[in-house]
Amino acid sequence: MSDNSGPPKSPHSSDAMAAASSDLDEQSRLQLAHELCMNENLEMAMPDPNSIYGHVKQIVHRAFWDSVRAGLEKSPPDYEHSLRLIAEIKGILLDLVPSGAQRAKDQINEVMDIDLYKQQIENDSFNLQGVVKFVVELMLGLCAPARDPTIRSILSQSDPVEVFREVFGALDLMRLDLVNYQLRSLRPALLANSVQYEQDKFRNLLASNPAGLDKTKQWLGETERRMKAGNQPVSPSTLLNSAFIRLIQEEVDPIPETIAMDLSRFVTVARELSAVVFSAATILVLQTGVGPTVQHDSFANKVRVTVYQLCSDELISHPRDILPNISEKLVDIVRETITSRPLRDEECQNIRGMLSGLQSPSNPVYCLLWERAKQFFTSLCSGVVGPVPAGFSVCATDLQGVASKYTHLVSYNRGVFGPFYADIISEITSSQQASSSTSTS
């Protein structure tokens, strides 16, 4: 059968099946293994029908199904497209049948005999509805119970083109279910050996690409130069800690090869940490500026929730961008808290002025809390579990939650790529020593 005989393929179907197959290249194997380890809820999903791809798919599929309909409406009907579709359905069903169920495979091959169908068409005895009934009954035996209503509804469809369309749609869902089941089954065994597995796969990639760590070398080399310029002590541990902190403090360019698979996770941590620090800074500015009347946790919590919720909007590049929209809400919170007297206009204006200072990237309160948060994260990655830094008491749970994500990312990354980092740092150190020896001789 021709590969393009059936309806145009959906990327989610082919990609999902490929993800669970043994034909992945080294990079894809590494990425899939890593995602399975880092995301316990990892699942393949159907594409969004409202996306650009979804609209293009609908147009292409509509043209295909129109050609199928045109053949069936001829007199006598032209079943050429229909037979190709049935052959493709047969192939998919054979793939969905468990490998040990040979009797079911034999039944499919026996009943869905394309040559026999051709003879029946020639003799005007072909029963398309009978084929559909067999296919649906077989699908019901193979699918997850949640798919039963979708598949049973096919039998109530009288339009043969719609029958084919719905059969393929249901088969797509079944293939998706199978792949996600396979992924869930793989995860426990993979977790037990994930670090070594990813390390081996990455080493295989380096064997075919000797320059595969060049960007990582740039990242660590630049970090080492900055530390020396700032008179910071440089050791393998402090260098790595500083390098990882850079990932949540700035946009590192180029992206290190060892970080690429987790870049989006580090970006998420950076956004969440900025939101926590900004919430804490806002609380501190208001409590210091307004005075004793707002020095209690209920006020601080109201501010924290208000700021943190708005910071969660992914369209916001930095929490300080929300200030123009949130200043009046914060003034209202202060007004509601001070119940003993009305808040004067000049007091409201002073509050707005204090808040506007947080829009500056160099705001001293924000910068102080950011440095404390960085030190807290660095200590945790060094195995030192200390108290939440001063200024974060109300936001302690938020800070600890983000810190947990960060330390997990760093710990796992260092577990996988530790040997490669050690070699690079040794190379950097040797180069520095050689340079120092040359300059003193």
Side-chain angles (χ1 to χ4, degrees):
M1 184 186 81
S2 171
D3 288 340
N4 57 4
S5 59
K9 301 294 191 295
S10 300
H12 69 272
S13 300
S14 58
D15 290 351
M17 292 306 291
S21 77
S22 60
D23 297 328
L24 294 172
D25 58 30
E26 290 292 322
Q27 183 64 48
S28 298
R29 287 172 183 268
L30 177 58
Q31 289 176 341
L32 177 59
H34 186 73
E35 287 302 315
L36 276 172
C37 292
M38 301 302 289
N39 182 4
E40 63 180 338
N41 298 315
L42 177 67
E43 283 193 344
M44 299 295 178
M46 301 290 280
D48 181 359
N50 295 318
S51 66
I52 294 176
Y53 162 75
H55 288 302
V56 172
K57 174 188 170 185
Q58 290 174 18
I59 293 170
V60 173
H61 277 209
R62 190 180 302 120
F64 173 81
W65 292 117
D66 285 347
S67 67
V68 175
R69 185 181 302 281
L72 291 174
E73 289 178 350
K74 288 181 179 178
S75 183
D78 181 352
Y79 287 106
E80 180 182 1
H81 274 310
S82 298
L83 287 178
R84 289 178 178 176
L85 292 173
I86 291 171
E88 185 165 344
I89 291 169
K90 174 183 176 180
I92 296 172
L93 289 172
L94 288 170
D95 287 338
L96 289 172
V97 171
S99 57
Q102 189 57 46
R103 181 177 297 179
K105 289 180 181 288
D106 290 342
Q107 184 185 21
I108 293 172
N109 284 319
E110 179 181 345
V111 175
M112 300 187 73
D113 186 334
I114 304 302
D115 290 333
L116 176 61
Y117 291 158
K118 289 179 180 178
Q119 293 176 18
Q120 291 174 347
I121 290 170
E122 292 174 0
N123 298 325
D124 198 23
S125 60
F126 179 60
N127 182 3
L128 180 57
Q129 193 61 33
V131 177
V132 171
K133 184 177 180 181
F134 172 78
V135 168
V136 168
E137 289 176 351
L138 189 59
M139 290 168 68
L140 286 170
L142 295 171
C143 74
R147 303 297 185 197
D148 281 2
T150 299
I151 295 172
R152 289 187 188 279
S153 67
I154 297 172
L155 291 175
S156 63
Q157 182 60 255
S158 58
D159 183 341
V161 173
E162 290 303 316
V163 166
F164 278 125
R165 193 199 300 267
E166 292 184 16
V167 165
F168 275 102
L171 288 172
D172 270 354
L173 293 173
M174 291 173 64
R175 289 196 288 189
L176 202 62
D177 291 340
L178 176 61
V179 170
N180 287 328
Y181 169 77
Q182 291 171 332
L183 291 178
R184 287 192 297 272
S185 300
L186 281 171
R187 194 168 189 272
L190 184 60
L191 281 174
N193 304 284
S194 59
V195 169
Q196 189 62 52
Y197 179 87
E198 289 191 41
Q199 203 173 94
D200 291 343
K201 290 301 173 188
F202 190 75
R203 191 171 280 111
N204 291 343
L205 288 172
L206 287 180
S208 60
N209 179 23
L213 280 170
D214 283 0
K215 296 172 184 176
T216 302
K217 292 177 182 178
Q218 291 182 50
W219 169 51
L220 295 177
E222 173 63 20
T223 302
E224 192 260 0
R225 285 188 290 275
R226 292 187 186 188
M227 292 178 71
K228 285 201 166 183
N231 294 318
Q232 298 175 350
V234 178
S235 69
S237 179
T238 59
L239 196 160
L240 277 176
N241 282 339
S242 294
F244 279 110
I245 284 292
R246 284 181 60 201
L247 296 173
I248 60 171
Q249 182 169 308
E250 62 187 85
E251 290 186 13
V252 174
D253 185 33
I255 299 166
E257 297 89 349
T258 57
I259 299 300
M261 292 187 296
D262 280 323
L263 180 63
S264 64
R265 294 183 177 90
F266 278 107
V267 169
T268 297
V269 167
R271 286 179 57 86
E272 292 179 355
L273 179 58
S274 295
V276 173
V277 173
F278 191 78
S279 296
T282 304
I283 292 168
L284 193 57
V285 165
L286 287 173
Q287 289 188 326
T288 302
V290 176
T293 52
V294 295
Q295 298 285 340
H296 49 80
D297 285 351
S298 62
F299 168 80
N301 261 315
K302 285 182 182 179
V303 174
R304 167 189 159 270
V305 170
T306 301
V307 174
Y308 205 70
Q309 284 179 342
L310 286 174
C311 286
S312 64
D313 187 342
E314 293 185 0
L315 297 177
I316 296 173
S317 59
H318 192 278
R320 69 175 69 95
D321 296 339
I322 70 171
L323 268 177
N325 301 324
I326 202 176
S327 290
E328 290 308 313
K329 291 185 179 180
L330 295 175
V331 170
D332 287 341
I333 292 175
V334 174
R335 185 181 287 113
E336 292 167 3
T337 304
I338 303 176
T339 56
S340 59
R341 60 175 178 80
L343 204 60
R344 296 189 301 273
D345 289 342
E346 58 268 28
E347 289 178 305
C348 294
Q349 196 58 40
N350 287 338
I351 293 171
R352 295 185 190 100
M354 288 185 290
L355 292 172
S356 67
L358 287 170
Q359 283 190 289
S360 170
S362 58
N363 178 269
V365 177
Y366 181 88
C367 290
L368 173 64
L369 292 177
W370 179 262
E371 286 301 317
R372 288 178 180 174
K374 285 198 310 181
Q375 292 169 10
F376 180 60
F377 278 32
T378 300
S379 296
L380 289 175
C381 287
S382 300
V384 179
V385 181
V388 170
F392 287 97
S393 58
V394 176
C395 302
T397 301
D398 300 325
L399 184 66
Q400 289 168 331
V402 180
S404 177
K405 292 180 183 179
Y406 176 78
T407 53
H408 175 65
L409 277 174
V410 172
S411 175
Y412 190 85
N413 185 279
R414 290 177 70 161
V416 173
F417 298 107
F420 306 103
Y421 292 145
D423 290 343
I424 294 171
I425 293 172
S426 177
E427 183 181 316
I428 292 172
T429 304
S430 299
S431 175
Q432 289 291 335
Q433 289 174 347
S435 177
S436 298
S437 299
T438 302
S439 62
T440 56
S441 61

